[in-house]
Amino acid sequence: MSSVPGWANVDERRNLPPALAVSTVILGIRRDPEGGPGKLCLPLVRRIRQPHAGLWALPGGPVGSRESLGQAAGRTLAETTGLHPKYLEQLYTFGDISRSPTHRLVTIAYFALVNIDEVGTRVPDENVAWFGVDDPQIAEMAFDHRKIVDYALWRLANKTEYGQIAHRLLGERFTLAQLRLVYEAILGKELDPANFRRQLKNTASIEATDEYLAGGKHRPPRLYRYLGHGPDPMEVDTSK
Amino acid sequence: MSSVPGWANVDERRNLPPALAVSTVILGIRRDPEGGPGKLCLPLVRRIRQPHAGLWALPGGPVGSRESLGQAAGRTLAETTGLHPKYLEQLYTFGDISRSPTHRLVTIAYFALVNIDEVGTRVPDENVAWFGVDDPQIAEMAFDHRKIVDYALWRLANKTEYGQIAHRLLGERFTLAQLRLVYEAILGKELDPANFRRQLKNTASIEATDEYLAGGKHRPPRLYRYLGHGPDPMEVDTSK
DNA sequence: GTTCGTTAGAGTCATTCTGACATTAACTGG
DNA sequence: CCAGTTAATGTCAGAATGACTCTAACGAAC
């Protein structure tokens, strides 16, 4: 059996620490030109080396010894995809013994949201590509990454306060229709515009601005912005 | 210089990979003899070695090379406290550089619930003890364990489906009054017994049995039991 | 300009959910 | 049998919800 170089004699009977890596599920919403519900999609990188060469995998890499886990996630993400998401949250740590065929690998998975304007933008090279989450091409992925993606989608759908994360998928200012499309993409169903508006007014987590979105063909919608108020205390600070 | 295959040139200045450990926050409810709201409490172990010798810490230990992360959490928990919780869920992975003064330490924190009958029971030795979560003795803890405990409490309070976890704090069968006390301990406020009953009937996650709790001084309450239905897909299976 | 189609945004109403409280049922101990 | 206590059900006003209608503001067509 082959031991992993760099990890002196990884004999499974000796208690050597496993390799530690981060991987990130970065979700964005691809707008539907016909104004439909919009699709959740994410960027993936094609594996060059074994194991699982040729399969698509989540962007990520090893954790450096002088960076925190969140920093490692942000760094590897930028290196492989060029993206700098505004939202980064730890998702789950995967450490089953057989998740990599060659060595013991523990992966801290992160969950990121990318602004809707950055979705599907040019990618560094042909080994990076955006996929819809239900694209049959990624029904199978490298390692257990398909399981990681499915869990990220489950977590997103089960978030109690979508308000905290919805504005990370939009820009600083947004219209209520745009915000409703985000909710619809996450929940997978259509919402009544009037009732949606009323509910947001009651929660008061949103504030109307004096500006309006110009350039449309019809009545210009008012722009709103979020009032931040403390969500998950373990959310990663990406503002540094 | 050797590199891990598939991990091009990972030279972190020859630093060893981080030590990998698990720690578990085990919460239970201590009944109030006067029938009050009940307190959340947890077992801690006193550290013998440096660093932080003498301070109280979460039960845990290093991850073995032939066990999954969840297995490591269950094993170290049993070894140090003798407890075998029915619920074990991964909480968060802590990996800041300076969380241990002596070496780089990455800890996967788990979150467990223990049956109410096991709370405060005899402990293996004097280096294990139960504390209320707001006991001033544990305002300070070893490493960043106080932060981990606070995060576990935050997660518990923000759980959407308490039903999924409440019956882990009780036995197989329970009365509605007992269940209500669990909710009150988690939420930190009193609930109206009548309205509480009504809401549970609507969600239909609970089923009435034909049995009644005997031995009380007053009218015997009916016993109920949970109907399991899929919660967090990453919950650890502790049934094996 | 006027009209029309489209979207933004406010209002209506019946239904359901919620919190607070009253009422009845079942048991024990004196 | 009665008093005291807890279990369980019932009632009712106010709030939230879902489905729907109505008005306002714009560009485009005429």
Side-chain angles (χ1 to χ4, degrees):
Chain A
M1 86 144 268
S2 65
S3 63
V4 180
W7 295 72
N9 289 332
V10 177
D11 175 355
E12 292 299 331
R13 287 138 209 260
R14 298 190 196 171
N15 232 358
L16 285 184
L20 205 62
V22 290
S23 292
T24 306
V25 180
I26 327 155
L27 290 173
I29 293 178
R30 197 200 315 266
R31 287 195 178 97
D32 185 356
E34 275 91 48
K39 295 257 182 225
L40 285 171
C41 52
L42 78 168
L44 297 174
V45 300
R46 198 199 301 273
R47 275 192 68 79
I48 306 295
R49 302 183 186 79
Q50 293 296 344
H52 300 305
L55 282 178
W56 293 97
L58 294 169
V63 176
S65 60
R66 295 202 275 186
E67 63 185 351
S68 71
L69 303 175
Q71 285 168 349
R75 175 183 57 78
T76 57
L77 194 51
E79 286 173 3
T80 52
T81 67
L83 292 168
H84 296 271
K86 295 227 192 71
Y87 182 82
L88 189 61
E89 172 191 295
Q90 191 181 298
L91 182 65
Y92 197 82
T93 298
F94 295 83
D96 281 356
I97 309 175
S98 57
R99 53 184 301 270
S100 167
T102 53
H103 60 295
R104 178 72 189 271
L105 174 64
V106 171
T107 295
I108 297 121
Y110 275 79
F111 175 47
L113 297 173
V114 69
N115 189 292
I116 195 168
D117 300 319
E118 296 183 73
V119 172
T121 51
R122 79 252 167 274
V123 290
D125 57 83
E126 62 174 4
N127 290 317
V128 179
W130 286 82
F131 296 90
V133 292
D134 50 2
D135 190 323
Q137 284 184 266
I138 60 166
E140 191 178 355
M141 295 173 63
F143 302 104
D144 52 2
H145 287 190
R146 182 69 227 187
K147 185 178 163 191
I148 298 177
V149 171
D150 287 337
Y151 182 57
L153 293 172
W154 182 88
R155 273 271 286 266
L156 180 62
N158 282 68
K159 272 272 176 189
T160 46
E161 331 109 333
Y162 298 109
Q164 299 301 336
I165 56 173
H167 75 291
R168 314 288 182 141
L169 287 158
L170 299 165
E172 175 67 19
R173 283 150 206 272
F174 48 86
T175 71
L176 290 182
Q178 291 170 345
L179 183 60
R180 180 169 47 83
L181 289 175
V182 171
Y183 275 69
E184 288 177 348
I186 294 174
L187 296 171
K189 65 177 179 182
E190 295 192 352
L191 300 173
D192 184 296
N195 297 334
F196 181 74
R197 173 185 310 273
R198 182 179 52 192
Q199 283 184 321
L200 284 182
K201 292 224 169 162
N202 291 342
T203 61
S205 62
I206 244 178
E207 190 183 60
T209 69
D210 292 334
E211 302 168 58
Y212 293 82
L213 181 63
K217 296 185 176 184
H218 307 292
R219 172 176 173 176
R222 186 186 281 266
L223 289 171
Y224 291 79
R225 64 187 178 85
Y226 265 101
L227 311 169
H229 61 305
D232 191 323
M234 289 303 163
E235 182 180 329
V236 175
D237 179 17
T238 57
S239 62
K240 51 150 192 339
Chain B
M1 153 86 218
S2 57
S3 66
V4 178
W7 297 64
N9 287 332
V10 179
D11 180 358
E12 293 295 341
R13 290 161 208 268
R14 286 219 142 279
N15 275 317
L16 288 177
L20 205 62
V22 290
S23 291
T24 305
V25 180
I26 327 155
L27 291 173
I29 293 179
R30 196 199 317 266
R31 286 196 179 94
D32 184 358
E34 276 93 47
K39 295 259 183 218
L40 285 170
C41 53
L42 78 170
L44 297 174
V45 300
R46 198 197 303 270
R47 275 192 68 81
I48 305 296
R49 299 185 187 82
Q50 293 296 344
H52 301 304
L55 283 178
W56 294 97
L58 294 169
V63 177
S65 58
R66 293 199 282 183
E67 62 185 352
S68 70
L69 303 175
Q71 286 168 348
R75 175 183 57 79
T76 56
L77 193 52
E79 286 173 4
T80 52
T81 67
L83 292 168
H84 296 270
K86 295 226 191 74
Y87 182 83
L88 189 61
E89 172 190 293
Q90 192 182 295
L91 181 65
Y92 198 81
T93 299
F94 296 82
D96 280 357
I97 308 176
S98 57
R99 53 185 299 269
S100 167
T102 53
H103 59 299
R104 177 72 188 270
L105 174 64
V106 171
T107 295
I108 297 120
Y110 275 79
F111 175 48
L113 297 174
V114 70
N115 190 294
I116 195 167
D117 301 319
E118 297 182 72
V119 171
T121 51
R122 77 256 169 271
V123 290
D125 57 87
E126 63 174 3
N127 289 318
V128 179
W130 286 83
F131 296 89
V133 292
D134 50 1
D135 189 323
Q137 285 184 265
I138 60 166
E140 192 178 355
M141 295 174 62
F143 302 104
D144 52 2
H145 287 190
R146 182 69 228 187
K147 185 177 163 192
I148 298 178
V149 170
D150 287 337
Y151 182 57
L153 294 171
W154 182 87
R155 272 273 285 267
L156 181 62
N158 281 69
K159 272 272 177 191
T160 46
E161 330 108 333
Y162 298 108
Q164 298 301 335
I165 56 173
H167 76 289
R168 314 287 181 140
L169 286 159
L170 298 166
E172 175 69 18
R173 282 149 207 273
F174 49 87
T175 71
L176 290 183
Q178 291 170 343
L179 184 60
R180 181 169 48 83
L181 289 175
V182 171
Y183 275 69
E184 288 177 348
I186 294 175
L187 296 171
K189 64 177 180 183
E190 294 193 352
L191 300 173
D192 184 297
N195 298 333
F196 181 74
R197 174 185 310 273
R198 182 180 51 191
Q199 285 184 320
L200 284 182
K201 291 222 169 163
N202 291 342
T203 61
S205 63
I206 245 178
E207 191 183 59
T209 69
D210 293 334
E211 300 168 61
Y212 293 82
L213 180 63
K217 296 186 175 183
H218 309 293
R219 172 176 172 176
R222 185 186 280 265
L223 290 170
Y224 290 79
R225 64 187 177 85
Y226 265 102
L227 311 170
H229 62 307
D232 192 322
M234 289 302 162
E235 183 181 328
V236 176
D237 179 17
T238 57
S239 61
K240 55 159 179 330

